[in-house]
Amino acid sequence: MKSNIETNIRKMHSRSGKIADYPWVLSLLIIVFSAVFSTTAISKDIMTLEEAVKITLANNYSVIMSKKSAEIADNNRGAGNAGMLPKLDITAGYQYNNKDIDLELAGGNRIKQDGNTDRAYNYAAQLSWTLFDGMAMFITYDKNEALKEKSDIELQVAMENSLRNLYSAYFESARLRQEINVLKSSLQISRNRLQKTLDKAEFGNAPKIETLQARVDLNADSSQYLQTELAYKNSIRNLNFIMGRDVLLEFEPDTSVTFITLFTLKEMKILAMQANTSINSAIKTKEISAFDRQLILSAIYPRINANASWSFNKSEADAGYMLSNQSSGLGVGLNLSWNIFDGLKTNTAAENARLMEEINETTYQQLISQVDMSMTNAYDTWKRRMKIYQLEEDNLESAELNFQRSEELYKLGRLTSIELREAQLNLVRSKNRILNARYQAKISETELLLLSGQMMKLGL
């Protein structure tokens, strides 16, 4: 196939007899023709944004790690982990001894035996239960619940951050894919222009400088096409990485863009104050710091523990004071402990915890202000980018009409090759500007949805 392409290019240049003067032009054109053919001949699967979102939420590395952290926080919940349930221990033991004894008793009797053995058995069950610890167990239970809720919010934060990266990369890939199509069309225009100058040169109607300029412009367009194609392939690999897939998997992003109707700025700020994940995480941080201070203060109260046990003990010996001893029975008890003075350590820790609560409150207020500012900036950016997109649509229509008119005049010989080239570049620039405007507006829209906490709800 490459030989066919080369043959066609040689035929295109054969009339001028100048192909030998520019062998590097031929090589570059062969590469371009091959790239264009491979791009159009191979049909890759189209992956929609919704499909990319599902894959990212399932496979993204940061999301997976956050899910595991949420599972750990969920495991830490429960009455048992807070110390509210009793503790039951079972023990058992056996002891064997073989020794020589030589005993002389006070009454004059003497016990002497070599190889005397004695054995001891014991087993017991002990139940202990903290009845009161200054409410620390209940505070710990509530704290663990808050930690679980915060972990769930942090999972949402990880998901949103991953989606923010995904949207930016996905729309960039879609833009590059469409830019390749724009450059492909521009390449065809440049090839047609070069062919026309070669045809005119054959009959002596075109100066050599015009043919050279047409070749230079075609080479420039070819170089830009190859660079854009490389950027597109790299963007696909980056997308695969974000989605947690093999970076060599091939697909094409969906280039269609649909805008949704957003609320007013005031309404979106209200939504943000209720659903923004960063704000909700800061709220949970405040709750947890309050629990930490309560846990420290619980140490000033007494502790009451109850315990109950049942035990069995038995020992046997061949000789000695006691040949057999056995005991078993039930025991119950109640213990009270109260630290009266600990060198003011509890007071210091409680004061530090109070200061941490104030820090977290200040952080929360700062975050509220930051989200409010970010929402204002993002909303203004979105409105302006939508307006720019609408303006670029009007500009594109004008650029297309201008190029069509220029091309007609060029064919009639009433427009120079350089003037046609300028109209061509204006058309390419206009198409690229509208691509940038369209996807930048969409990125601004998704950023607003993320800031207002609506992205996960909409399932985008």
Side-chain angles (χ1 to χ4, degrees):
M1 180 170 294
K2 183 177 180 180
S3 60
N4 293 335
I5 295 173
E6 183 174 351
T7 301
N8 292 332
I9 297 174
R10 289 185 183 278
K11 288 180 179 179
M12 185 179 71
H13 290 76
S14 61
R15 295 179 183 178
S16 65
K18 299 299 182 180
I19 189 65
D21 297 335
Y22 302 98
W24 57 275
V25 175
L26 173 61
S27 301
L28 183 56
L29 289 176
I30 292 173
I31 293 174
V32 173
F33 271 80
S34 301
V36 172
F37 183 85
S38 63
T39 303
T40 56
I42 300 176
S43 178
K44 298 182 178 65
D45 293 334
I46 300 295
M47 179 181 291
T48 65
L49 179 58
E50 290 74 16
E51 292 171 338
V53 167
K54 291 179 181 178
I55 295 173
T56 301
L57 295 182
N59 299 332
N60 181 268
Y61 301 111
S62 298
V63 173
I64 290 175
M65 289 186 287
S66 295
K67 286 180 179 178
K68 298 300 180 183
S69 297
E71 290 180 15
I72 293 174
D74 187 51
N75 292 337
N76 289 334
R77 293 192 305 168
N81 202 47
M84 301 172 69
L85 300 180
K87 178 182 177 182
L88 178 63
D89 295 308
I90 297 178
T91 60
Y94 172 77
Q95 181 72 33
Y96 171 84
N97 295 306
N98 188 323
K99 52 189 176 182
D100 300 334
I101 63 173
D102 187 356
L103 298 175
E104 185 173 350
L105 305 180
N109 296 329
R110 186 175 183 180
I111 302 174
K112 182 177 182 181
Q113 181 172 326
D114 296 335
N116 177 64
T117 62
D118 61 78
R119 297 161 298 281
Y121 315 85
N122 67 84
Y123 44 90
Q126 182 168 358
L127 178 73
S128 58
W129 196 350
T130 300
L131 302 180
F132 181 77
D133 60 354
M135 307 300 291
M137 65 181 77
F138 299 100
I139 299 171
T140 301
Y141 181 87
D142 292 338
K143 177 184 175 181
N144 289 340
E145 288 290 334
L147 286 170
K148 171 61 174 93
E149 293 171 0
K150 183 182 179 183
S151 183
D152 290 339
I153 295 173
E154 290 173 347
L155 173 58
Q156 286 185 302
V157 171
M159 288 180 174
E160 290 182 357
N161 289 337
S162 298
L163 291 183
R164 180 178 281 108
N165 295 333
L166 173 70
Y167 297 142
S168 177
Y170 186 92
F171 293 136
E172 175 63 10
S173 294
R175 186 193 67 80
L176 288 171
R177 182 185 169 207
Q178 289 195 294
E179 185 175 336
I180 287 176
N181 294 332
V182 171
L183 294 176
K184 191 187 303 180
S185 176
S186 180
L187 268 174
Q188 185 60 48
I189 295 172
S190 297
R191 284 194 294 269
N192 294 340
R193 175 177 158 226
L194 176 59
Q195 183 62 56
K196 188 171 182 62
T197 60
L198 292 173
D199 292 340
K200 292 170 62 178
E202 182 179 1
F203 298 100
N205 295 330
K208 185 177 180 179
I209 187 64
E210 187 175 344
T211 303
L212 292 175
Q213 184 62 50
R215 282 176 172 165
V216 169
D217 292 339
L218 177 58
N219 293 338
D221 292 344
S222 303
S223 176
Q224 186 177 0
Y225 178 90
L226 293 175
Q227 292 177 16
T228 304
E229 187 180 48
L230 175 61
Y232 173 68
K233 291 181 178 180
N234 288 337
S235 71
I236 293 297
R237 286 189 279 267
N238 182 47
L239 262 177
N240 278 322
F241 174 76
I242 293 173
M243 291 187 289
R245 306 199 316 165
D246 183 353
V247 296
L248 298 180
L249 291 176
E250 295 187 355
F251 67 95
E252 289 186 353
D254 184 6
T255 57
S256 62
V257 174
T258 303
F259 294 99
I260 65 175
T261 303
L262 297 178
F263 298 108
T264 65
L265 176 58
K266 182 179 180 180
E267 291 171 331
M268 297 203 74
K269 283 186 176 182
I270 294 174
L271 291 173
M273 295 302 111
Q274 298 172 348
N276 181 274
T277 50
S278 297
I279 291 177
N280 289 336
S281 179
I283 292 174
K284 287 301 171 183
T285 299
K286 290 200 307 174
E287 292 181 9
I288 292 169
S289 63
F291 288 135
D292 287 336
R293 183 164 178 260
Q294 294 174 29
L295 281 173
I296 293 172
L297 293 175
S298 68
I300 66 176
Y301 296 97
R303 298 177 60 89
I304 301 175
N305 297 313
N307 60 81
S309 63
W310 183 89
S311 62
F312 173 84
N313 295 277
K314 183 178 181 181
S315 61
E316 298 175 340
D318 294 338
Y321 289 111
M322 292 183 295
L323 299 181
S324 178
N325 182 26
Q326 177 177 317
S327 65
S328 63
L330 178 68
V332 295
L334 194 65
N335 299 322
L336 182 144
S337 61
W338 195 352
N339 178 263
I340 303 301
F341 182 73
D342 63 354
L344 300 178
K345 291 181 179 180
T346 300
N347 291 347
T348 302
E351 177 62 17
N352 291 339
R354 184 188 65 79
L355 293 173
M356 183 57 66
E357 283 189 76
E358 294 181 359
I359 291 174
N360 290 332
E361 175 63 28
T362 303
T363 301
Y364 169 72
Q365 296 298 332
Q366 181 187 31
L367 188 58
I368 291 288
S369 178
Q370 181 179 339
V371 170
D372 183 82
M373 179 189 68
S374 298
M375 286 291 299
T376 302
N377 292 342
Y379 197 85
D380 186 53
T381 300
W382 169 74
K383 286 181 62 178
R384 292 181 181 275
R385 285 180 173 176
M386 288 297 295
K387 186 175 182 180
I388 292 172
Y389 174 51
Q390 294 167 0
L391 290 173
E392 292 298 342
E393 282 188 323
D394 296 335
N395 290 339
L396 178 60
E397 183 178 356
S398 299
E400 287 176 338
L401 291 174
N402 178 62
F403 177 75
Q404 292 173 6
R405 179 59 177 164
S406 298
E407 194 173 33
E408 292 172 358
L409 293 174
Y410 177 73
K411 291 178 181 179
L412 295 173
R414 298 169 58 183
L415 200 69
T416 66
S417 176
I418 295 177
E419 290 173 322
L420 178 63
R421 175 64 175 177
E422 185 61 30
Q424 176 190 356
L425 291 178
N426 286 336
L427 178 61
V428 171
R429 295 189 193 105
S430 180
K431 288 182 177 180
N432 286 335
R433 284 199 306 270
I434 198 170
L435 288 178
N436 289 330
R438 178 188 299 140
Y439 291 111
Q440 287 296 322
K442 187 62 179 178
I443 290 175
S444 297
E445 177 190 284
T446 56
E447 182 64 21
L448 273 172
L449 293 173
L450 285 168
L451 285 172
S452 60
Q454 304 305 303
M455 183 61 71
M456 301 300 296
K457 295 180 180 180
L458 292 175
L460 299 178

